Amino acid sequence: ITSQAIVDLILRVKEKYKMVVVLVTSELDVAFRCSDKVVFLHEGQIRQVGTGKEILGSSDAVIHQYVSGSLEGPLTEEGIHP
């Protein structure tokens, strides 16, 4: 079974039974496809709540680095001290 098959199943069940689904994932494409709203957490704190489009356009440096896949930014600089 592939992750795509699982996503398709979640979407079918969600639609058929009009369910609210809470999905925890680090895969952005899955989060955006399955969700009306995304909650972006970092170090146990909510950084932003919004649609996939809002998350992708976020001005938050942590979120921006994560969604862009950049190797430079606060996510890779954390824990690095001179």
Side-chain angles (χ1 to χ4, degrees):
I1 191 163
T2 66
S3 62
Q4 186 60 47
I6 293 169
V7 168
D8 290 342
L9 176 62
I10 291 168
L11 291 172
R12 282 196 312 273
V13 170
K14 178 182 167 187
E15 179 63 28
K16 182 176 181 177
Y17 297 105
K18 306 298 184 210
M19 295 175 64
V20 172
V21 176
V22 176
L23 177 68
V24 178
T25 183
S26 60
E27 297 181 42
L28 292 175
D29 58 330
V30 171
F32 295 157
R33 185 163 176 231
C34 292
S35 305
D36 298 318
K37 293 281 184 183
V38 174
V39 178
F40 193 101
L41 299 171
H42 177 64
E43 295 184 340
Q45 301 295 314
I46 295 174
R47 301 293 292 222
Q48 185 171 343
V49 177
T51 64
K53 186 176 181 178
E54 290 168 338
I55 297 295
L56 287 173
S58 179
S59 60
D60 181 289
V62 169
I63 296 172
H64 179 74
Q65 182 183 1
Y66 188 83
V67 300
S68 70
S70 176
L71 295 177
E72 295 183 17
L75 292 173
T76 48
E77 293 168 3
E78 291 177 1
I80 300 175
H81 302 285

